[in-house]
Amino acid sequence: MAVSTGQGVTFARGFVAGAVAAGVKHEGASRLDVAVIASTAEHCHAAGVFTTNQVIAAPCIVTKKHVGRGHLRGIVVNSGNANACTGPQGERDAIAMATAAGLLLHVDVDAVAVASTGVIGVPMPMDRIGPAIARIGLSEGGWDDASRAIMTTDTRPKVAQREVALSGGAVRIGGIAKGAGMIHPNMATLLSFVTTDALIDSAALRPMLRSAAGESFNVISVDGDTSTNDTLLVLANGASGVRVGTVDGPAFLDALSAVCLDLARAVVADGEGATKVFEVHVTGAASESDARAAARTVTNSNLVKTAIHGADPNWGRILAAAGRSGAKVDAAKASVRIGGIAVYEKGSPRTFDGGAVRAVFEKPDIAIELDLGLGEATSRAWGSDLSAEYVRINADYTT
């Protein structure tokens, strides 16, 4: 499986993208804030995973209906306004966005997915967004503009891609994502759009996307909040002519999961106010669900996050977080290692060099190992530290 750089959503054959400044948040602003991603091939299968928040934004409602058909030709997305908690008008505005993009692409409105991100509870400025969509120029080189147009508090675009050899030839998978805050391991956690030129139908794509999400976007945490707008979409246009047969399923899934994990880890690394990323590797769990629950809870613990930010070797917070995760935990059998340094071993604290643990916590990438000593199941999750800058960003978000 080859890793390439650049191109993201247009790395796969037969996809184009573009973006424009519509002044979504502030009229007259020059930053890119509306993007379109589209397949040039007519037959394009699709699958999606959406927010589990019960307060669901209008674009998610509309896109769930459209992707439910199993086919999409394009995606229209804006930043600066979430179109959430906007009443019946919000859904009409989401449909209007899909209609405008459909006119641009010469396809029916229900062949277009809609996604939005930004401030909740503010009416959409459709007088600016509609005409802006009509101005978008689409090309294979438009991937970078699209990756930037979806950003809110992100400091940089998130782009990933893979090429994988299948029995019938090579296929490409690429994607972009946005996310820095309201990131919690309860899919989808952000906006992410993935494209592939593989020949695969939506019935096969759906379980694969859920599996890929489960090992990537579902195991990251920045602040413990799940957004109203979380959307992950994959479009497969078959432009490579290479079919994903039964024998190729595992290899294709591995590549899809790798792209999603690259994007997910980029989200964590760019978490609001984040200065460090830490990985929690849980082993010895009684079940896979226990392993995942323990790993997720540790990455989502504010006490763990602040200890890491301050390089404080307070390892007890790790074990305490696991103990409240709902997983089966026996302190007498558990062990904790930080950067390979044993701090707790099978029920007893170990004598360790506090300075060495602080040095691990001062690094930008940190490894934490938690062995529950109860079975064979394992899981990994990723989190970011919690800093005063996170509070500043979110205290001033609308002002």
Side-chain angles (χ1 to χ4, degrees), residues 100-118:
L103 290 172
L104 179 72
L105 301 175
H106 306 291
V107 299
D108 293 337
V109 60
D110 55 8
V112 179
V114 188
S116 299
T117 180

Side-chain angles (χ1 to χ4, degrees), residues 236-255:
N237 67 4
S240 67
V242 178
R243 183 175 298 278
V244 180
T246 302
V247 69
D248 298 310
F252 180 80
L253 176 58
D254 284 349

